[in-house]
Amino acid sequence: TITAVPPATTPWKAGTKARLRATVQSRDYTNALSFYSDDASVIDIYPGGFYEVTGAAADTATITIRDEDAGTSVTVPVVVTA
């Protein structure tokens, strides 16, 4: 089971850069997981869970965190404020 650890600050504002963390069975495995954004015009995800909010206007996107070995995933909704 993957659990996303929400960013310290919400809502997410345009221009924000940080790292999304996740745990697998109560251990931090952020570097062993794959992170995907369904809309790079709202939020870009880089290897290791680093992200940049790229949207300049209020919008929404979804981040998918996938454990490729276990074949499990979790989604995290992102609501960007201008």
Side-chain angles (χ1 to χ4, degrees), residues 5 7 12 15-22 28-37 40 42-54 63-65 78:
V5 179
W12 299 11
T16 300
K17 294 180 184 180
R19 186 175 190 196
L20 185 68
R21 300 191 64 80
D28 186 351
Y29 281 95
T30 298
N31 289 325
L33 300 172
S34 299
F35 295 77
Y36 305 94
S37 170
V42 176
I43 188 167
D44 260 342
I45 302 290
Y46 304 97
F50 292 96
Y51 67 82
E52 178 178 1
V53 179
T54 52
I63 297 171
T64 300
I65 305 169
V78 174

Side-chain angles (χ1 to χ4, degrees), residues 44-77:
D44 260 342
I45 302 290
Y46 304 97
F50 292 96
Y51 67 82
E52 178 178 1
V53 179
T54 52
D59 210 340
T60 60
T62 301
I63 297 171
T64 300
I65 305 169
R66 184 174 301 144
D67 180 341
E68 305 291 349
D69 293 335
T72 59
S73 63
V74 65
T75 58
V76 178

